[in-house]
Amino acid sequence: MGFRVFTLFLLFSLFCQVLFCEAEFHNVSGISGKKLNGCNLFIGNWVVDPSYPYYDSSTCPFIDPEFNCQKYGRPDKQYLKFSWKPDSCSLLRFDGEDFLNKWKGKKIMFVGDSLSLNMWESLSCMIHASVKNAKTSFVRREALSSVTFQDYGVTIQLYRTPYLVDIIRENVGRVLTLDSIVAGDSWKGNDMLIFNSWHWWTHKGKSQGWDYIRDGPNLVTNMDRLEAYNKGLNTWARWVDLNVDTSKTKVFFQGISPTHYMGKEWNQPKRTCSGQLEPLAGSTYPAGLPDTWNQLLYAALS
């Protein structure tokens, strides 16, 4: 658990410094993309930065207990000191007060699974540490949660939905409905939307979040997960096209994080990343992208 939080915390440090400076990402999958002032942000290394971390998790009021490693007894702290350093440029340090001033009166929403949850909590905690005396309101619910920095009118929200498309309760049970996004009504009216979805589509057995899949008129017990994901993502893309004015709302779709369930993926004998104290060196995950993800990228480009 600790390493997972560590990884996502560091990912978000990069995410914040880049995304909210209105930079454009270089696409690391081989698809042509733009660099930030000629800098490939994703080619670099983790380096120790004595000024880190941005916030003390034990004093942040928005973080979940299971992610609050220091408060609940993790003895080491070196993992909090790593910062991402691109080879060809330096990233600006995140400034929470400057962020609030730039986004005054606006709303940001993360939509997705635990990756979105971690990023929502990290951003909220980073800002809170920058403006400790700012008035805040905090609402935590099963689906929609929010943190509002009242002095600035900035609201940062989280909508938990691991598939983006709806799971509808029918007589037969939980039905993953590939052409339905009723939940999207809650996403409207934001100035920035950050989406993610992937891992839950591959889960099977007890960790599977649905009982049946509705694919158009067909109700099936299972289908090719990549095909289901592709159809669900197309439904999401149509929703964005029909409901979001991209001249007013910035829309981002995140990539995926490593599963970190098989040590052989990063040349370690352990089954998980439990007990790992340092990030992987370099810019490339040893196991590469999942085969199914490569298939999806190929299909998208065809």
Side-chain angles (χ1 to χ4, degrees):
M1 179 196 70
F3 185 81
R4 178 169 186 269
V5 177
F6 158 50
T7 303
L8 293 178
F9 172 83
L10 294 173
L11 264 174
F12 191 69
S13 295
L14 173 62
F15 180 78
C16 269
Q17 292 172 74
V18 178
L19 177 59
F20 298 112
C21 289
E22 300 185 357
E24 295 186 79
F25 284 110
H26 177 78
N27 194 315
V28 295
S29 302
I31 305 171
S32 61
K34 294 183 179 180
K35 300 179 181 180
L36 176 62
N37 296 326
C39 177
N40 187 330
L41 301 168
F42 296 94
I43 302 299
N45 273 288
W46 295 109
V47 297
V48 174
D49 186 334
S51 69
Y52 271 45
Y54 282 116
Y55 65 92
D56 181 349
S57 63
S58 64
T59 62
C60 179
F62 316 125
I63 198 166
D64 286 337
E66 59 265 34
F67 302 138
N68 205 338
C69 301
Q70 293 298 310
K71 183 176 181 179
Y72 289 94
R74 178 164 176 166
D76 61 306
K77 294 185 178 181
Q78 182 66 12
Y79 70 100
L80 297 171
K81 297 292 185 180
F82 286 97
S83 170
W84 179 254
K85 175 66 175 68
D87 289 341
S88 53
C89 62
S90 296
L91 297 175
L92 296 175
R93 183 173 175 82
F94 178 77
D95 184 330
E97 186 173 8
D98 182 58
F99 174 93
L100 290 173
N101 283 318
K102 287 183 177 179
W103 285 86
K104 187 171 289 186
K106 297 186 181 297
K107 295 191 294 183
I108 298 165
M109 178 179 281
F110 293 90
V111 184
D113 57 27
S114 59
L115 183 62
S116 287
L117 165 65
N118 276 220
M119 291 190 170
W120 171 69
E121 290 187 350
S122 289
L123 177 58
S124 300
C125 290
M126 289 163 67
I127 296 173
H128 180 263
S130 297
V131 288
K132 295 180 179 179
N133 297 321
K135 294 180 180 178
T136 61
S137 61
F138 178 41
V139 177
R140 192 64 191 273
R141 297 192 178 97
E142 184 176 354
L144 181 60
S145 303
S146 67
V147 175
T148 299
F149 293 87
Q150 296 175 336
D151 299 328
Y152 301 85
V154 174
T155 299
I156 304 169
Q157 301 174 90
L158 168 73
Y159 195 97
R160 290 294 300 273
T161 172
Y163 305 99
L164 299 182
V165 294
D166 296 324
I167 293 181
I168 298 175
R169 288 276 181 178
E170 298 188 19
N171 292 335
V172 294
R174 302 164 300 173
V175 179
L176 178 61
T177 309
L178 300 180
D179 61 358
S180 175
I181 301 190
V182 175
D185 289 343
S186 299
W187 311 341
K188 297 176 181 178
N190 286 282
D191 299 283
M192 178 179 286
L193 291 166
I194 308 107
F195 296 93
N196 93 287
S197 182
W198 171 245
H199 284 307
W200 282 88
W201 291 87
T202 65
H203 289 187
K204 298 179 180 179
K206 293 182 179 180
S207 64
Q208 181 176 290
W210 45 266
D211 303 305
Y212 293 87
I213 297 177
R214 186 170 294 285
D215 179 16
N218 302 316
L219 186 67
V220 297
T221 56
N222 203 359
M223 65 184 291
D224 180 89
R225 300 304 178 85
L226 184 61
E227 181 182 357
Y229 179 73
N230 193 22
K231 290 185 176 184
L233 228 57
N234 273 287
T235 298
W236 165 81
R238 286 193 296 272
W239 182 91
V240 171
D241 287 341
L242 292 172
N243 294 279
V244 178
D245 181 351
T246 54
S247 67
K248 298 179 180 178
T249 301
K250 295 179 182 293
V251 179
F252 294 86
F253 190 88
Q254 301 179 53
I256 63 173
S257 63
T259 56
H260 54 74
Y261 296 137
M262 300 176 66
K264 65 181 182 181
E265 290 190 353
W266 58 91
N267 305 317
Q268 291 289 326
K270 289 187 176 182
R271 183 178 178 183
T272 72
C273 58
S274 177
Q276 299 288 317
L277 302 179
E278 295 184 356
L280 292 169
S283 310
T284 305
Y285 187 60
L289 289 171
D291 290 339
T292 49
W293 189 257
N294 285 321
Q295 293 172 31
L296 188 67
L297 289 173
Y298 178 79
L301 290 172
S302 299

